[in-house]
Structures are given as C-alpha cells and as structure tokens.
C-alpha cells in the first residue's frame, strides 16, 4: 500500500479496517542482487505515535535499520507515524477496530505502545490481539530485565522514560532541593509563583503530577495500574490537595496560569519565570545537550516518585509480516539502536553494553525496575475532564 495514501486515510479519520482488508497479501518491496541471485526484500510496516521528537527518532531508527542492520537485504522498514493530538482515530482505536473486524493479514506489522494505549487495547479486546513473541528471533532481548505492565511475552520493553523534578540550580540551593513530595509541597508554599505544571491534557509531565498527586491519597498502589471506574470514588482528597496548591502556582499578572504542553513549563524554567517544574527526563536532557536548555537546569527524583514507564513494542496477531516484526524488535535492542534512542531523545536504555551515553550520563542513575508505573486506560479522560472543570477554572 502506498504510504502517502495510507497517511491521507489516517488524517481523514477513517478507520483502517476496510482499507487494510485486502492489503496484506503482497509485502514484496524490491529485489536485491547478490552473487547473481535475486532475493526478495519484504516490507515491515512500523507503527508509532507521539510527539514530534518521537517521530524524528523513529525516522532515524528506520533509516538505520534499512541501511546498517543485520537485516539489510531481507527486510525494509516503512514508518507510519500518527502525531499525537492531531485528531481522528488514535492508533489504539485502529488496532482495536482491525481486531474486532476479524482482520488476519494487515500492514500493522510491529507497533510501538505506551502503557495507557496497551491498557486501553486490552480492556476493549483481549490478549489475542497480540502475537506471542518468538524470543529465538529476538536474541538482543537477552539480559533485558524490564517487564511490561501487561501481556508479558507479547510486548517487549525497549526504552525507559520517567517524569522528574527539574529545577534551576542557581536559584534553588542544593540543600533546598526537595527529596520527597512533602518537601516539594513545603517548597511550593514557601515560594509562591515559582512552580508550575502543565495542564494534564496537554502533556505527560503535568499529567503525571496530577495523577500522582491524586493517587498518593489512595492506599492501594495497584490503583495506578487499573482502569476500574471504582477508583474515581477515591479521587476527592487528591483534587482537594490540588485546589490547595492552586494559589501558589505560577502567575502571569495576578492570575494563576497552567502552561500548555510539557514544553510550556520547560520554557518558563529556562527563561527564569519559575524555579521548578515536573518534566520528562529525556526532554530536559536532550534539550540541554542541544543547548536550548542551560546547564544550570538540573533534574532529580522525589519519593513517592512521579510516574515512569518502559515503552514497549509488539507484533499484532493480524500482522502480515510477523517475522519482519520480530526482526525490527531485535534491532531496537541492539547497541546501535539504543545509542540512537539515548543520543536523540535521552531515552533510558534497557541495554547498556556498547551504548554511547555521552551527554546523558545521568540516565544511568535511573533504574527502570524501580519506576512507579501507571496505566489508567480510559480513566485518564475522566480524570483530565474533572481537572479541567475543578482546577482549570479556578480564579
């Protein structure tokens, strides 16, 4: 299938069920000649979603897979990327639709999935939507100890990411840097207007701050891994806490302002408008490396921590090229691919041997096995809507 036509279908908000019904048959992309023999190179359709920096990184990964990996001459990866927040059916929606329509041979060969999307997909279908991974075809996974939040054996973690506390080391002395949530609250109240978090519906850092603020008041830690609506009944205390913090947040003029997107808070921190904010470790480190965030901006973790996760990659059960999907997963766990992930987006590597960590050495202090993971599924929509109504409208 022509990628441009496929992208046009996506942006027009059409579900891929009908489109993909007859496109699984031929995957042959080109022929290559070696020693006078002609071999078939098979397309591997790679699907991912996220912000633009994720798109840029996947473009580089796909290019390197096609040019330098051990699979050159056997497979050629094709990237299908859905930019988050562009409307239309999400990648998760389209995966569910294809499964429920009984598709068996589609161009969903290998798919990048975060915890929320994985939880949503499994809540709407079952684990039959995902192919059991053939680990004999993914030798680079040996030694990777990180585990997915669900569907173990059917989704392979390949990078880590976490929300941290970013701060200006010139205005926040080392002995005043919070190490716990209680200390952070004390600091916020002692320095009104110098802290900000972005609106939760516009970026994962603010979303993580809101989620952990609310779920810190729920004794059962498993609640962070559940999409059961029963937990909504226990949100009240957390929302009362956020209302209590509201007057101490960043102000423009005399009004409290919650910045738009993760970049919004990071820009305020960089410009000296605030001294502290939650943000993604990879975002801060990659921009600091690029010179757009000054060296004075440091990162730290607190207890209880903000949420982190391991990003996973999977092969749908209706993939038309499962072997190619396994090959791409194996490549993602190679030192070369892990170095691209570190250098381009400061992702926390799950493989360290042979990986270049120059400029991102702080990542090695972050143990993915200790991440406070979360996967709320569709509860995220309800939580963000309640924040918009109760916190976003406060004067």
């Amino acid at each position: 299938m022509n990628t441009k036509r496929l992208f046009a279908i996506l942006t027009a908000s059409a579900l891929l069920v009908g489109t993909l019904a007859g496109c699984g048959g031929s995957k042959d992309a080109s022929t290559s000649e070696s020693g006078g023999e002609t071999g078939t190179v098979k397309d591997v359709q790679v699907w991912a979603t996220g912000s633009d920096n994720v798109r840029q990184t996947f473009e580089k990964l796909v290019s390197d897979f096609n040019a330098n990996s051990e699979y050159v001459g056997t497979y050629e990866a094709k990237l299908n990327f859905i930019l988050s927040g562009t409307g239309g059916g999400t990648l998760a929606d389209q995966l569910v639709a294809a499964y429920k329509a009984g598709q068996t041979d589609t161009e969903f060969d290998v798919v990048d999935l975060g915890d929320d999307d994985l939880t949503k997909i499994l809540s709407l279908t079952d684990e039959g939507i995902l192919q059991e991974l053939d680990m004999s075809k993914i030798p680079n996974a040996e030694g990777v100890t990180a585990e997915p939040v669900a569907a173990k054996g059917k989704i392979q973690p390949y990078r880590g990411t976490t929300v941290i506390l970013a701060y200006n080391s010139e205005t926040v002395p080392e002995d005043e840097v919070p190490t716990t949530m209680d200390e952070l609250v004390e600091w916020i109240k002692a320095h009104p207007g110098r802290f900000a978090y972005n609106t939760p519906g516009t970026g994962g850092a603010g979303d993580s701050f809101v989620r952990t603020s609310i779920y810190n008041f729920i004794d059962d830690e498993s609640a962070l891994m559940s999409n059961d609506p029963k937990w909504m009944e226990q949100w009240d205390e957390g929302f009362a806490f956020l209302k209590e913090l509201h007057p101490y947040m960043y102000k423009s003029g005399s009004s409290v302002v919650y910045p738009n997107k993760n970049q919004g808070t990071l820009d305020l921190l960089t410009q000296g408008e605030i001294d502290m904010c939650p943000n993604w470790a990879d975002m801060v480190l990659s921009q600091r490396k690029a010179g757009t965030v000054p060296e004075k901006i440091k990162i730290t973790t607190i207890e209880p921590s903000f949420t982190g996760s391991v990003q996973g990659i999977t092969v749908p059960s209706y993939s038309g090229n499962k072997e190619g999907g396994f090959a791409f997963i194996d490549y993602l766990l190679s030192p070369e691919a892990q170095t691209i992930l570190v250098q381009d987006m400061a992702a926390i590597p799950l493989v360290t041997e042979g990986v270049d960590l120059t400029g991102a050495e702080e990542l090695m202090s972050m143990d993915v096995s200790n991440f406070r993971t979360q996967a709320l599924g569709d509860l995220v929509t309800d939580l963000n809507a309640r924040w918009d109504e109760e916190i976003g409208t406060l004067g």
Side-chain angles (χ1 to χ4, degrees):
M1 174 178 287
N2 182 279
T3 302
K4 292 183 178 178
R5 179 164 69 87
L6 189 57
F7 182 75
I9 292 169
L10 289 172
T11 55
S13 303
L15 292 175
L16 293 181
V17 177
T19 306
L20 293 173
C23 70
S26 176
K27 294 275 185 173
D28 296 350
S30 60
T31 59
S32 60
E33 296 188 10
S34 175
E37 296 182 358
T38 300
T40 298
V41 179
K42 295 183 177 181
D43 282 354
V44 181
Q45 299 292 340
V46 180
W47 291 81
T49 185
S51 56
D52 197 55
N53 72 312
V54 178
R55 177 190 61 79
Q56 293 174 16
T57 301
F58 260 91
E59 287 178 346
K60 183 172 287 190
L61 289 166
V62 164
S63 178
D64 188 63
F65 175 86
N66 292 336
N68 302 312
S69 77
E70 64 183 280
Y71 299 102
V72 173
T74 304
Y75 300 112
E76 182 173 359
K78 306 286 187 181
L79 178 62
N80 305 272
F81 194 86
I82 302 176
L83 197 63
S84 59
T86 54
T90 67
L91 179 55
D93 292 333
Q94 295 177 32
L95 292 169
V96 169
Y99 184 63
K100 288 186 174 181
Q103 296 297 302
T104 58
D105 188 16
T106 74
E107 288 194 348
F108 286 117
D109 290 329
V110 61
V111 182
D112 176 49
L113 286 179
D115 291 344
D116 282 337
D117 279 343
L118 175 61
T119 302
K120 177 179 181 179
I121 288 168
L122 295 178
S123 71
L124 296 174
T125 60
D126 54 65
E127 288 196 13
I129 193 173
L130 306 179
Q131 176 68 31
E132 189 77 30
L133 298 179
D134 184 347
M135 302 312 294
S136 69
K137 305 291 178 61
I138 312 174
N140 285 328
E142 185 178 358
V144 174
T145 58
E147 295 186 355
V149 297
K152 184 178 179 181
K154 294 191 171 187
I155 185 166
Q156 175 61 51
Y158 73 95
R159 66 177 171 93
T161 183
T162 189
V163 174
I164 45 73
L165 189 65
Y167 66 96
N168 185 336
S169 61
E170 291 185 355
T171 56
V172 182
E174 186 174 351
D175 60 355
E176 292 184 13
V177 176
T179 60
T180 66
M181 189 64 171
D182 288 342
E183 290 179 2
L184 175 58
V185 172
E186 291 177 6
W187 188 94
I188 291 171
K189 291 182 176 181
H191 302 84
R194 306 304 299 176
F195 181 87
Y197 67 90
N198 61 277
T199 53
T202 66
D207 183 88
S208 177
F209 182 82
V210 169
R211 292 191 202 190
T212 53
S213 293
I214 292 170
Y215 280 76
N216 281 346
F217 291 95
I218 300 177
D219 291 335
D220 191 341
E221 188 72 10
S222 69
L224 268 172
M225 297 299 298
S226 171
N227 63 351
D228 192 327
K230 72 178 183 180
W231 298 112
M232 297 171 65
E233 301 173 3
Q234 299 189 43
W235 287 355
D236 291 352
E237 195 170 0
F239 272 100
F241 167 75
L242 292 172
K243 289 177 184 177
E244 179 186 339
L245 284 186
H246 174 79
Y248 301 96
M249 295 295 101
Y250 166 74
K251 291 183 175 67
S252 179
S254 58
S255 300
V256 169
V257 173
Y258 293 95
N260 189 45
K261 296 185 177 295
N262 307 314
Q263 191 63 51
T265 53
L266 189 55
D267 287 344
L268 291 176
L269 183 62
T270 299
Q271 296 160 7
E273 294 294 315
I274 59 174
D275 298 318
M276 202 176 289
C277 69
N279 218 292
W280 290 103
D282 51 4
M283 191 171 189
V284 176
L285 294 178
S286 61
Q287 292 192 29
R288 196 174 69 187
K289 180 180 178 181
T292 55
V293 167
E295 289 293 326
K296 65 183 179 181
I297 304 303
K298 307 296 184 182
I299 66 173
T300 190
T301 57
I302 63 172
E303 291 293 336
S305 65
F306 299 127
T307 53
S309 66
V310 286
Q311 193 77 2
I313 190 150
T314 187
V315 174
S317 59
Y318 43 75
S319 162
N321 187 1
K322 297 181 178 65
E323 297 294 310
F326 297 151
F328 192 79
I329 294 174
D330 186 53
Y331 162 75
L332 281 184
L333 295 172
S334 69
E336 294 77 17
Q338 294 281 296
T339 294
I340 290 174
L341 290 164
V342 168
Q343 295 300 325
D344 280 50
M345 61 188 305
I348 301 169
L350 301 190
V351 175
T352 55
E353 186 174 351
V355 179
D356 182 4
L357 293 168
T358 303
E361 291 84 358
E362 288 161 280
L363 293 176
M364 292 312 299
S365 65
M366 299 179 185
D367 183 357
V368 296
S369 64
N370 292 328
F371 281 177
R372 192 182 186 195
T373 55
Q374 50 78 33
L376 305 185
D378 283 341
L379 287 187
V380 174
T381 302
D382 296 311
L383 188 147
N384 289 347
R386 182 170 173 180
W387 187 95
D388 290 340
E389 294 172 2
E390 297 186 15
I391 308 299
T393 57
L394 292 174

